[in-house]
C-alpha cells in the first residue's frame, strides 16, 4: 500500500485536494497506469467488469481485474485481489506483517460474500496468512457462516493452509516501541486503517465482495472489529449493490454500516449518497466523538456506479475499470 506516499506526493506537488467534481491530481509516479481523478463518479464511464477497493491498493485491484478480464467471476476476483495484500508484509494492517494486539499476537478477521448472498467469515484467526480464503472455505465447505479462533485455525489446517508466523520483524519492532508508551490512541489514517475491502462486478453483471484485516493495532486480546461481521464490514445484495467499510470497526458495527448503505441504495440513493448518509448516521449521533476516529465506505450499485465517503480527509478508493487502475480521493465530512 502506498497511501502515505500518495499523501506525501499530493502535498509536495501542490496537487489539489479539492473535492466535488474537480480533477484532483497528476499521475502517481509509482505506476504509469494509476492516476488520480475526480472525486465524483462519472456515470457515462460505467462499463463492466469493474473492481473497487478501499485505500490505495492498485496491485490488488490489478490482480482482481486480471481475473475479471479473463472472464472469471467476481467471487474469484475479490478473493485473489485481497490475497495480494494479505501476502504483502509491508502492509501492517492485513495478513502477514499485520500489527499485533497488546500481547504481541497477530489475529486476523475476514469475510467474503457472493452473488447468491452466501457468506463466510473468520474471526481471531492466527498463524494463517490468507484469512479471506479460509473465509471462503467456511462459506463453501461448512454449514456455518463464521468460525473463530482455534476452531478457525484448525479448520484452515484441515483444508491445507500452512502454518506461518505472521509477526514480522518490522511489526514486532513497532509493537515493542508501542509497549513503552502503552498508550492506546490510534492516529487517524496512519495507524489501523489499511483494511482491504474489495467489491467487484464481473462480465455477467454479478457482484461479490470481500474484506480482510488484522484489525486495530494494539487492540485488546480477543477484540474483533467490523471487518468479518456480515452487514457491518461488508454486505452484498446482487439485486442492488454492495458496500465495504474501513476504519474504527466499533463505530461501523454500531450502525451496521455496510447493510445500511445497501439498504439506502435499495431506497433509491446513489452509492455516493448512500455512503454519505451512512457516515452522517455516525457523526450526527449525540455526543459523537468523530473527530477522534476515521470511518470510510466504498459502494457500488448494480448499474456499476460507485461512491466513497469518509469522516476525515485522505481516505481513497482504488478503482479498475475500462482498463484504467486509478486512485480516487474520497470526499469527506470533516472539513473544519
Ligand atoms: C477494524 N475496520 O478492525 C477494521 C480496521 C481497519 O484498516 O479498517 N483497519 O476495526
Amino acid at each position: 500500500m502506498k497511501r502515505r506516499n500518495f499523501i506525501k506526493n499530493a502535498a509536495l506537488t501542490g496537487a489539489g485536494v479539492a473535492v466535488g467534481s474537480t480533477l484532483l491530481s497528476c499521475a502517481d509516479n509509482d505506476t504509469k497506469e494509476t492516476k488520480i481523478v475526480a472525486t465524483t463518479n462519472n456515470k457515462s464511464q460505467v462499463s463492466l467488469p469493474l473492481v473497487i477497493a478501499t485505500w490505495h491498493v492498485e496491485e490488488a485491484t490489478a490482480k482482481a481485474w486480471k481475473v475479471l478480464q479473463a472472464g472469471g467471476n467476481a467471487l474469484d476476483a475479490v478473493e485473489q485481489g485481497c490475497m495480494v495484500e494479505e501476502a504483502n508484509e509491508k502492509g501492517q494492517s492485513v495478513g502477514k506483517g499485520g500489527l499485533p494486539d497488546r500481547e504481541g499476537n497477530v489475529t486476523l478477521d475476514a469475510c467474503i460474500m457472493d452473488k447468491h448472498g452466501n457468506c463466510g467469515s473468520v474471526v481471531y484467526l492466527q498463524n494463517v496468512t490468507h484469512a479471506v480464503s479460509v473465509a471462503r472455505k467456511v462459506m463453501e465447505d461448512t454449514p456455518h457462516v463464521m468460525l473463530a479462533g482455534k476452531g478457525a485455525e484448525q479448520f484452515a489446517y484441515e483444508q491445507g493452509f500452512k502454518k506461518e508466523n505472521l509477526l514480522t520483524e518490522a511489526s514486532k519492532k513497532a509493537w515493542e516501541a508501542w509497549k513503552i508508551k502503552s498508550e492506546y490512541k490510534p492516529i487517524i489514517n496512519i495507524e489501523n486503517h489499511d483494511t482491504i475491502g474489495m467489491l467487484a462486478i464481473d462480465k455477467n453483471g454479478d457482484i461479490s465482495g470481500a474484506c480482510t484485516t488484522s484489525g486495530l493495532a494494539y487492540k485488546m486480546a480477543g477484540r474483533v472489529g467490523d471487518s468479518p461481521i456480515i452487514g457491518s464490514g461488508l454486505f452484498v445484495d446482487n439485486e442492488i449493490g454492495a458496500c465495504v467499510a474501513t476504519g474504527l470497526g466499533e463505530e461501523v458495527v454500531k450502525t451496521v454500516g455496510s447493510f445500511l448503505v445497501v439498504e439506502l441504495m435499495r431506497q433509491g440513493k446513489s452509492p455516493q449518497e448512500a455512503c454519505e448518509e451512512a457516515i452522517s448516521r455516525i457523526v450526527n449521533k449525540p455526543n459523537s466523538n468523530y473527530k477522534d476516529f476515521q470511518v470510510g465506505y466504498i459502494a457500488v450499485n448494480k448499474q456499476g456506479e460507485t461512491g466513497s465517503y469518509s469522516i476525515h480527509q485522505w481516505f481513497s478508493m482504488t478503482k479498475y475499470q475500462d482498463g484504467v487502475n486509478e486512485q480516487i480521493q474520497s470526499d469527506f465530512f470533516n472539513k473544519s
Side-chain angles (χ1 to χ4, degrees), residues 15 41 70-71 76 83 87 97 99 119 122 130 155 163 167 169 176 186 192 220 228 244 248 258 262 298 310:
N41 300 288
D76 289 336
M83 287 171 71
L99 289 168
C119 44
V122 287
H130 292 300
F155 170 71
K163 184 168 184 164
L167 187 64
E169 271 311 306
E176 283 165 351
N192 306 324
M220 289 174 70
V244 69
L248 187 66
S258 293
V262 173
I298 64 169
S310 59

Side-chain angles (χ1 to χ4, degrees), residues 192-258:
N192 306 324
H193 294 289
D194 286 327
T195 291
I196 175 165
M198 186 175 275
L199 309 172
I201 311 187
D202 58 31
K203 285 179 177 172
N204 289 335
D206 290 320
I207 310 172
S208 292
C211 186
T212 181
T213 186
S214 52
L216 298 183
Y218 321 129
K219 60 198 175 187
M220 289 174 70
R223 180 266 185 190
V224 170
D226 61 314
S227 303
I229 312 286
I230 300 300
S232 290
L234 170 74
F235 197 70
V236 176
D237 182 328
N238 199 37
E239 296 292 306
I240 304 297
C243 174
V244 69
T246 184
L248 187 66
E250 281 74 2
E251 297 300 322
V252 177
V253 168
K254 286 177 202 168
T255 48
V256 200
S258 293

